[in-house]
């Protein structure tokens, strides 16, 4: 069950309208690493978690918080779009170059599709999609994704911070930066605990099946030899890395039978 509270988690009001910044903020809302991706990933992971209750609760706490972040950014975008131009004739553009430049820099979907409100898309109009979500059922894998998601989100929010001098926008971004710090740290801690329990390789129960002689070999497949510097170092699973300067082609030459002639593949 979810219950909505009208009050925002934190302030989300700019000092003044700015349709260009509204467009930029769409990345934090509907981009690959934005708040919608965090919301749906963490909630999906939490709903599918059947293990330790504390990890399920951590995921659902954070996923539900991200709903509030989606609301904050959507609200901020709405404020930034207040009074934005929606239509201009060619003659009006000639007479008001500043307004024409503003209109050309806006996200056209803000007016055309969303009626001067936020939408679930990135600044270039690409729609958010569920393919950005990770919920594998494996908590180690999912926690690692969550650390990456929060890292990318915090990186983008930090860039957005430097793209505006509006103190209202910056105030909200400062809050999001702090929460993304917390989320990185909590997911890293959960990852460490889960690795201690299940091992550092995902999945951790395949070691008797894999060709283990290839499991710690750095293979030199590029012109550089920088990877050689890892040779002899101990991996996180306690094994040492080796280095193969000239990787072998061990599979032989494929001899695949031609397809049915009725497919007209023109086999050479």
């Amino acid at each position: 069950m979810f219950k909505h509270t009208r009050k925002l988690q934190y302030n989300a009001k700019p000092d003044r309208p700015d349709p260009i910044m509204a467009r930029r903020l769409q990345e934090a809302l509907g981009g690959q690493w934005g708040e919608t991706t965090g919301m749906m990933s963490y909630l999906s992971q939490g709903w599918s978690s059947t293990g330790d209750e504390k990890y399920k609760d951590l995921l659902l706490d954070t996923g539900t918080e991200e709903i509030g972040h989606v609301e904050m950014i959507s609200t901020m975008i709405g404020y930034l779009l207040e009074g934005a131009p929606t239509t201009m004739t060619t003659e009006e553009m000639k007479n008001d170059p500043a307004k024409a430049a503003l209109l050309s820099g806006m996200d056209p979907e803000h007016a055309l599709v969303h009626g001067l409100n936020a939408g679930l898309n990135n600044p270039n109009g690409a729609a958010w999609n569920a393919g950005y979500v990770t919920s594998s059922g494996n908590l180690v894998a999912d926690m690692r994704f969550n650390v990456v998601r929060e890292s990318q989100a915090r990186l983008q929010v930090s860039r957005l911070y430097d793209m505006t001098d509006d103190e209202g926008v910056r105030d909200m971004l400062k809050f999001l930066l702090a929460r993304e710090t917390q989320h990185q740290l909590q997911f890293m801690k959960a990852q460490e605990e889960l690795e201690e329990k299940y091992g550092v390789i995902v999945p951790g129960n395949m070691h008797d099946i894999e060709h283990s002689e290839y499991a710690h070999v750095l293979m030199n497949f590029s012109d550089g030899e920088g990877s050689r510097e890892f040779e002899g170092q101990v991996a996180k699973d306690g094994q040492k890395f080796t280095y193969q300067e000239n990787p072998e082609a061990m599979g032989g030459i494929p001899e695949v039978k031609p397809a049915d002639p009725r497919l007209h593949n023109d086999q050479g």
Side-chain angles (χ1 to χ4, degrees), residues 2 9 25 37 41 48 55 62 98 112 163 165 190 193 197 204 219 242:
F2 291 88
Q9 185 186 15
L25 280 173
T37 298
S41 292
S48 65
Y55 299 119
T62 312
L112 285 170
M163 290 180 179
D165 59 3
E193 291 181 3
K197 183 176 182 179
M219 296 185 180
T242 60

Side-chain angles (χ1 to χ4, degrees), residues 38-56:
M39 172 183 74
M40 293 307 302
S41 292
Y42 309 154
L43 288 176
S44 297
Q45 292 169 19
W47 291 327
S48 65
S49 177
T50 57
D52 191 311
E53 183 67 22
K54 74 175 184 179
Y55 299 119
K56 185 180 186 75

Side-chain angles (χ1 to χ4, degrees), residues 93-161:
M93 288 186 180
K94 290 180 181 177
N95 295 332
D96 193 344
K99 191 175 180 181
L102 177 63
L103 184 63
S104 66
M106 289 174 56
D107 179 354
E109 288 201 353
H110 277 155
L112 285 170
V113 181
H114 307 299
L116 289 185
N117 290 292
L120 290 185
N121 52 267
N122 73 12
N124 294 323
W128 182 88
N129 71 84
Y132 298 153
V133 171
T134 291
S135 180
S136 70
N138 183 299
L139 278 176
V140 180
D142 285 350
M143 291 300 179
R144 287 176 174 171
F145 168 82
N146 296 349
V147 173
V148 173
R149 209 296 300 182
E150 291 291 338
S151 301
Q152 291 285 354
R154 192 171 191 273
L155 177 61
Q156 291 180 354
V157 168
S158 71
R159 289 170 175 166
L160 286 166
Y161 181 87

Side-chain angles (χ1 to χ4, degrees), residues 172-234:
M172 183 192 74
L173 296 178
K174 288 177 181 178
F175 177 79
L176 293 176
L177 287 169
R179 294 310 296 157
E180 284 152 359
T181 296
Q182 164 64 27
H183 295 167
Q184 284 187 48
L185 293 171
Q186 71 186 33
F187 289 138
M188 282 190 278
K189 185 63 177 176
Q191 174 188 325
E192 290 169 1
E193 291 181 3
L194 290 161
E195 287 175 347
E196 184 69 25
K197 183 176 182 179
Y198 296 109
V200 298
I201 303 300
V202 178
N205 57 353
M206 306 294 289
H207 302 299
D208 294 338
I209 299 173
E210 67 183 344
H211 289 303
S212 58
E213 64 269 32
Y214 305 114
H216 297 85
V217 184
L218 295 156
M219 296 185 180
N220 181 33
F221 281 113
S222 65
D223 289 338
E225 294 190 358
S227 297
R228 187 190 291 273
E229 296 184 22
F230 289 97
E231 185 176 15
Q233 294 188 26
V234 179

